[in-house]
Amino acid sequence: MSVDLNADVGEGMEDAELLPYVTSANVACGVHAGDPVTMDQTVEIALSRGVRVGAHPGYPDREHFGRVVMEMSADEIENLVVYQVAALAGFVRSRGGRLTHVKPHGALYHSGAEFPDVARAIA
C-alpha cells in the first residue's frame, strides 16, 4: 500500500521546506495566487525531489484567495481552467517533467462538487 501525501503549493509560502515531505503537489497557476516566477521555481523544486506536479487552478480572485464563488458561465470556467493548466504544463515541460493531475482550488473546487455544469467545465 502506498499513500499520496499531497499539498497545495506555489501560493507564496516556503514551499522548499514542505516539498521534501510530499509525494504530489498542486501548484497554484498564477490566478488566485502565485505568479510565473513562483510557478517555475515551485515546479523546479518539486521535480528535483521527485514530487509529482499537478495544476491548482482557481477563480481569478486574489482579494479573497479564490475562496469566493464568482458568477461565470461554463464556457468562461472552461477557458479559465484551460488557461491555467496550460500555463503550468508549460513550466513543467520546460523542466523536463510531466503534469500528472489537476485539482481545482477553493471555491472553484466546491462549485464543481455542487454543480454538474461547473464540474464538466473543469474536466
Side-chain angles (χ1 to χ4, degrees):
M1 175 193 287
S2 65
V3 174
D4 177 25
L5 185 56
N6 176 268
D8 297 344
V9 295
E11 298 176 330
M13 305 300 176
E14 295 296 325
D15 296 332
E17 295 176 20
L18 174 65
L19 285 167
Y21 301 101
V22 302
T23 53
S24 68
N26 312 315
V27 181
C29 299
V31 176
H32 77 276
D35 56 66
V37 171
T38 303
M39 291 165 68
D40 185 46
Q41 290 172 343
T42 304
V43 166
E44 179 183 27
I45 295 166
L47 293 175
S48 73
R49 289 177 165 57
V51 174
R52 292 183 305 273
V53 176
H56 197 41
Y59 282 121
D61 172 32
R62 286 185 174 271
E63 181 181 357
H64 299 105
F65 196 63
R67 293 188 175 138
V68 175
V69 174
M70 298 180 74
E71 287 295 320
M72 299 178 79
S73 71
D75 285 342
E76 290 172 317
I77 291 171
E78 181 177 346
N79 289 337
L80 180 68
V81 171
V82 167
Y83 172 78
Q84 292 178 75
V85 172
L88 188 69
F91 286 111
V92 174
R93 276 194 311 275
S94 77
R95 296 285 179 184
R98 182 177 68 84
L99 194 68
T100 62
H101 63 279
V102 175
K103 190 239 174 195
H105 170 78
L108 182 60
Y109 177 91
H110 294 291
S111 292
E114 186 174 349
F115 302 106
D117 61 326
V118 174
R120 280 189 293 278
I122 293 167

